[in-house]
Amino acid sequence: MTPLSSLSSLDALTRFNTSTPLVSNAVAQQSALPASTSVTLGQSNGSVQTYSVQSVSAAVSPVWESNATDAVSALMAANSRGASLSSRFNGLGAALLNGLASGGGAYSQSVLQASTVGLSDDVAAAATAIRQQSLHTKADNQMTLSVKTARGVEVTITLGSQQNGLAASIEVADGATLSDAERKALGALADSFQEAVDGLATMPPKLALGGLTQFDRSVLSSVDLQASVQVNGGVQTLSFHADAKGRSVEFDGPVGTVKVDVDLSDARVFGSDGQRAAAVANYLSQIDDAGRRGRGDTDLVGLFKDAFAQMNSSYGEATLPSAVDSRRIALSERDHSLTSGLADFTASVKQTATSPNPLRPEEQDTFSYQANQRTEIRGTSMRDRGISQQQTSHLTASYHQQIDPDIPMDLQLDPNTQNYYYTQIDDSASAQVDLGYSDGKLVHAVAQRSANQITHTQKFIGAKVVEDTTVPDTATQVENLLGTLKQDPSSKADPSELDLARWQQTMAALRQRLTLQDSPSVLREQGRGHGLTLSE
């Protein structure tokens, strides 16, 4: 909070309209509250903003924006004494939404620890009003949930906290009156909003956004969450959006950036819950592999995994064209079995680069991973159609490593300390399935996968390169699926249970050979016995 340290600042405050309700109320609150209740909240030196309660003079008093008699104010009174951001926001987001669900409306409350020594009542009130407004709009730590209803009413829930105060508000745009259905749908988000707040207020932060994607689309049209939290070394921010057409999240902090964008505009590509879960699990495994290989920050990789899984949680009820509707092409059960079941997406994580070697600052420690899926459905009818789905991933990373595991690396300007490995990685992988139908018959079905890894390692002794190696590894597979798919016993008039069970096993093995795989050695192992490996 900027101190009132100059005559010009006091003059500006004096000119503030002290007849406004906020200022008038501040005057009343300052005179009404006993000094014995005063506390001071100070920021610690930890990695996330924390607060401590200290003994102070009677000149510092808690000033409430409005009469503190409601349940939310009581919660704020208790939370404002908390020693961490998570304790200050504890239960507050849920309480606001539950209040709306129970019939409440617009709401604004703040509690401010204010010192007014040496100021007249009018100037003190004006200063307090400005500080209260800042708590609502420019707090060091702020989280804002914006929900738009299907009929266009926007509801905004805001939480703000900094070392001298705590604020909470509800704004209903244009003073609109919410319907019972809207209140119920907003109340259903209470626990999910609080989970998201709790995750972002912890250190290290966690993403808990899955619940915010599961809103009642018949009543609510979109949900947005914006957050900004002060941490040691900078600010971490989050931007989340969800509506019927897609979901996205972007997290940015001192350690790095996470982005996931999921396209829900074409429900035809959605698979079953089980298929989607299996595809997500495969991607999470690939991300783990990339994190280990590229020495990515564990917490940042964990955030990326959470973001990917949560943005690909249940897609909700999907309106699909009938398989016999000639006006729009759908995907058959077979088509779904050969594609991922995921909505198309783009996803990336990028770690903030560092330069740990003062003698060679151009040698950076980096980690960057991207993945995406794109599906194309084309044709004139269900009988004459084509489906292509491509998935790709790309990892680039670099890191320093000690030569002797028992001797810690301590790089200094002194060449005698310059004994280490420096490794650079550039990996890419892809998986593509192409299907084609003519006159109702499958005439083209090809799957192709590739994985490429390049590892460049330099060994330095006394600041000089004594070894320089580049190790490439690659594998590519192409499989014509027609021969396998013709074995489907379901086309027979009366298939046996044994034949159907064997077919399930065949399809399970085939699906494994269709998933994205970033390791050439694993790709070769999965293709062994099928005659698939073309190059390595």
Side-chain angles (χ1 to χ4, degrees):
M1 182 65 67
T2 303
L4 303 177
S5 57
S6 67
L7 182 61
S8 61
S9 297
L10 289 174
D11 289 342
L13 290 171
T14 303
R15 291 193 295 272
F16 189 93
N17 184 3
T18 57
S19 65
T20 63
L22 189 59
V23 176
S24 299
N25 191 61
V27 174
Q29 291 291 335
Q30 289 181 40
S31 60
L33 288 171
S36 60
T37 62
S38 63
V39 295
T40 292
L41 303 174
Q43 186 172 354
S44 78
N45 292 323
S47 58
V48 66
Q49 188 165 8
T50 58
Y51 309 85
S52 60
V53 180
Q54 307 169 357
S55 297
V56 293
S57 69
V60 178
S61 304
V63 180
W64 289 88
E65 182 179 323
S66 57
N67 292 330
T69 57
D70 60 276
V72 172
S73 296
L75 181 60
M76 291 175 64
N79 286 5
S80 65
R81 295 172 173 83
S84 66
L85 183 61
S86 59
S87 64
R88 290 165 71 79
F89 282 162
N90 181 38
L92 195 52
L96 290 168
L97 281 172
N98 284 328
L100 270 180
S102 300
Y107 179 88
S108 183
Q109 182 63 288
S110 64
V111 55
L112 178 69
Q113 305 300 326
S115 174
T116 58
V117 175
L119 301 178
S120 68
D121 288 347
D122 286 348
V123 172
T128 298
I130 291 174
R131 290 167 177 162
Q132 288 173 333
Q133 184 65 27
S134 180
L135 272 175
H136 284 295
T137 60
K138 300 177 182 179
D140 291 340
N141 304 284
Q142 193 157 2
M143 301 191 189
T144 301
L145 179 73
S146 300
V147 182
K148 185 172 289 187
T149 71
R151 65 187 180 99
V153 177
E154 187 166 0
V155 179
T156 304
I157 313 293
T158 303
L159 308 178
S161 174
Q162 56 191 47
Q163 64 180 12
N164 67 338
L166 181 64
S169 66
I170 301 172
E171 180 181 348
V172 182
D174 301 322
T177 300
L178 298 172
S179 68
D180 290 344
E182 288 169 337
R183 293 182 185 278
K184 181 179 179 181
L186 287 164
L189 292 175
D191 290 343
S192 298
F193 177 40
Q194 190 61 52
E195 288 173 0
V197 169
D198 292 344
L200 293 170
T202 61
M203 181 55 63
K206 301 182 184 301
L207 296 185
L209 304 171
L212 292 179
T213 69
Q214 307 303 308
F215 56 89
D216 187 344
R217 294 186 187 177
S218 66
V219 181
L220 307 179
S221 64
S222 66
V223 174
D224 289 84
L225 176 63
Q226 305 289 328
S228 177
V229 176
Q230 297 280 345
V231 295
N232 189 32
V235 179
Q236 62 187 27
T237 62
L238 176 132
S239 179
F240 163 82
H241 173 79
D243 60 25
K245 294 183 178 181
R247 301 166 180 168
S248 64
V249 60
E250 180 173 352
F251 177 92
D252 184 64
V255 177
T257 302
V258 166
K259 296 180 182 179
V260 179
D261 192 338
V262 177
D263 180 5
L264 301 181
S265 63
D266 193 348
R268 294 177 294 174
V269 303
F270 301 172
S272 65
D273 288 346
Q275 186 184 19
R276 187 188 66 255
V280 168
N282 179 67
Y283 268 104
L284 297 184
S285 177
Q286 301 296 303
I287 294 169
D288 275 333
D289 290 344
R292 284 190 293 268
R293 177 163 161 76
R295 307 292 177 92
D297 179 85
T298 302
D299 292 332
L300 185 65
V301 172
L303 282 174
F304 183 52
K305 291 174 60 181
D306 289 343
F308 185 83
Q310 291 164 22
M311 293 305 98
N312 283 289
S313 59
S314 175
Y315 297 147
E317 295 296 325
T319 302
L320 300 172
S322 167
V324 297
D325 185 353
S326 61
R327 295 169 298 178
R328 190 176 180 211
I329 300 171
L331 266 65
S332 68
E333 183 176 347
R334 172 187 284 170
D335 298 336
H336 278 296
S337 70
L338 299 174
T339 51
S340 73
L342 293 177
D344 287 351
F345 68 87
T346 59
S348 66
V349 56
K350 185 175 183 179
Q351 189 170 317
T352 302
T354 59
S355 298
N357 188 351
L359 191 63
R360 300 173 66 89
E362 71 277 8
E363 291 178 353
Q364 293 187 321
D365 284 1
T366 65
F367 175 81
S368 177
Y369 178 84
Q370 304 91 35
N372 70 78
Q373 175 185 291
R374 182 177 60 84
T375 306
E376 180 185 1
I377 302 173
R378 58 192 181 277
T380 57
S381 69
M382 281 295 293
R383 295 182 61 82
D384 295 282
R385 68 187 190 276
I387 300 101
S388 296
Q389 185 175 85
Q390 183 179 47
Q391 302 171 73
T392 65
S393 68
H394 187 204
L395 166 67
T396 57
S398 54
Y399 55 86
H400 295 76
Q401 184 179 10
Q402 62 202 65
I403 293 176
D404 188 331
D406 296 325
I407 302 177
M409 185 172 55
D410 183 24
L411 301 176
Q412 303 292 336
L413 292 174
D414 183 355
N416 291 324
T417 68
Q418 296 285 315
N419 307 308
Y420 62 96
Y421 289 110
Y422 182 60
T423 300
Q424 296 171 286
I425 290 170
D426 190 350
D427 298 351
S428 60
S430 67
Q432 182 163 335
V433 174
D434 294 292
L435 307 174
Y437 292 82
S438 177
D439 197 23
K441 295 181 180 180
L442 183 64
V443 296
H444 178 78
V446 175
Q448 178 171 331
R449 294 194 299 172
S450 67
N452 305 281
Q453 294 184 340
I454 299 175
T455 308
H456 178 210
T457 303
Q458 294 173 299
K459 182 179 181 180
F460 289 82
I461 299 294
K464 295 181 179 180
V465 177
V466 296
E467 292 181 11
D468 192 327
T469 60
T470 299
V471 179
D473 191 8
T474 184
T476 301
Q477 298 175 350
V478 177
E479 180 175 7
N480 189 331
L481 307 178
L482 285 177
T484 300
L485 297 175
K486 287 180 180 179
Q487 302 171 26
D488 185 355
S490 62
S491 59
K492 299 179 181 179
D494 187 20
S496 69
E497 292 186 5
L498 179 59
D499 286 342
L500 291 174
R502 287 174 174 170
W503 176 245
Q504 291 295 328
Q505 294 177 344
T506 299
M507 285 302 295
L510 175 58
R511 279 192 290 270
Q512 185 185 50
R513 302 197 301 274
L514 301 179
T515 59
L516 184 73
Q517 176 53 247
D518 57 15
S519 169
S521 61
V522 174
L523 198 61
R524 287 190 288 269
E525 180 63 28
Q526 291 180 350
R528 190 163 288 125
H530 298 280
L532 303 179
T533 302
L534 294 185
S535 62
E536 53 183 277

